[in-house]
Amino acid sequence: MSAATASADAAAVIEVAGLDKAYDTPMGPFPVLKGVSLAIHAGEFVAIMGPSGSGKSTFMNILGCLDRPSGGDYILDGKHVSALDKDQTALLRNRTIGFVFQGFNLLPRMSLEDNVALPLVYCGVDKEERRQRARELLAKVGLGQYAKSLPNRISGGQQQRVAIARALVNRPRLILADEPTGNLDSHTSEEIMALFEELNREGITIVLVTHEPDIAQHAKRQVRFLDGRIVHDAPTHHDLPAGEVQPC
């Protein structure tokens, strides 16, 4: 992707062009992504879907700067990721992206407040500001009264709310969520998706991996992978009858 293209599409938070990813195996390179091109603009809410082995998780790892492509170009928030060294990539990731995972990944011996504040430790933010930001975000996700509690004293849905607060603490432009409702019941999943919708209305760009069509319906746009390629990319139709799945 040329610099001129990037400049013309300045509102894009994510731009990938001709993205390839192959892993070395004893039988030779095994291709996982094959010429993927996609742009995600500021304020979008995108669901990434596809069966196991379709390439969606590898794609998300590349978007999160947790892995590098074998070929093609990736521009995150206007910066060519391939041109950055390890430290520069880590800085871009920490300043731009908030991560939410299926397994919550909270540290069991730390309070909820300290779990939320942890990313700020690595950014050199002073202790009082870390606590203030953490308390504000716990209140935002409805858990302000549990700031001093340990993770095992709250429910799975509440733990995921804490994980979302932690993802927001660095004030990212982008949230990457990998199966964030995978460990939750249907009612709690709807509550978590309502929270993501609220954050999106506030202007945060959200990219979410899910295999559940009802969860994908909360997004504004759906992108489906199959065999390492994008086979569907369209706005979500929110007027489908209950239980009906949008065709690809």
Side-chain angles (χ1 to χ4, degrees):
M1 183 175 295
S2 70
T5 303
S7 297
D9 203 9
V13 179
I14 288 170
E15 298 175 84
V16 298
L19 207 66
D20 296 318
K21 180 62 180 181
Y23 292 104
D24 292 328
T25 73
M27 303 298 292
F30 178 76
V32 180
L33 296 177
K34 306 166 187 175
V36 173
S37 297
L38 183 72
I40 297 175
H41 297 81
E44 284 203 271
F45 188 169
V46 181
I48 305 290
M49 304 185 72
S52 179
S54 63
K56 64 183 186 299
S57 295
T58 298
F59 182 66
M60 283 288 277
N61 285 338
I62 291 173
L63 294 189
C65 301
L66 303 174
D67 198 358
R68 285 186 177 259
S70 304
D73 201 7
Y74 175 29
I75 300 174
L76 173 61
D77 201 21
K79 298 178 177 60
H80 289 260
V81 175
S82 60
L84 305 178
D85 62 27
K86 184 177 179 180
D87 290 340
Q88 291 170 327
T89 301
L91 184 61
L92 176 63
R93 179 176 62 235
N94 293 342
R95 288 183 173 176
T96 307
I97 303 172
F99 293 92
V100 180
F101 302 99
Q102 178 177 345
F104 317 143
N105 293 349
L106 302 179
L107 298 179
R109 297 185 180 182
M110 293 179 64
S111 69
L112 303 187
E113 180 182 297
D114 288 340
N115 266 283
V116 172
L118 187 59
L120 298 176
V121 174
Y122 305 116
C123 296
V125 177
D126 69 74
K127 188 174 182 179
E128 187 51 43
E129 184 176 351
R130 294 199 305 265
R131 286 180 173 175
Q132 180 178 342
R133 280 205 223 173
R135 287 193 293 263
E136 288 174 353
L137 285 167
L138 283 170
K140 182 179 182 65
V141 300
L143 295 172
Q145 69 272 35
Y146 297 111
K148 298 302 182 182
S149 296
L150 295 177
N152 66 359
R153 304 301 298 271
I154 60 175
S155 70
Q158 289 171 323
Q159 289 185 55
Q160 191 60 293
R161 287 177 175 269
V162 176
I164 292 170
R166 181 185 57 197
L168 294 169
V169 78
N170 273 343
R171 298 169 180 159
R173 294 192 63 198
L174 169 69
I175 288 180
L176 298 181
D178 190 359
E179 299 282 5
T181 62
N183 287 336
L184 305 176
D185 61 60
S186 58
H187 176 71
T188 307
S189 294
E190 287 297 313
E191 292 181 340
I192 293 300
M193 294 311 300
L195 178 55
F196 278 124
E197 288 179 312
E198 178 185 342
L199 295 173
N200 181 243
R201 285 193 295 269
E202 294 174 2
I204 296 177
T205 307
I206 298 175
V207 181
L208 175 147
V209 163
T210 182
H211 65 277
E212 301 174 82
D214 57 331
I215 295 299
Q217 280 293 112
H218 290 269
K220 297 175 181 175
R221 174 182 172 193
Q222 295 184 23
V223 175
R224 184 177 292 270
F225 278 73
L226 183 65
D227 297 332
R229 294 185 172 91
I230 293 175
V231 296
H232 173 84
D233 182 358
T236 299
H237 295 291
H238 293 288
D239 55 352
L240 293 175
E244 185 174 333
V245 178
Q246 178 181 342
C248 297

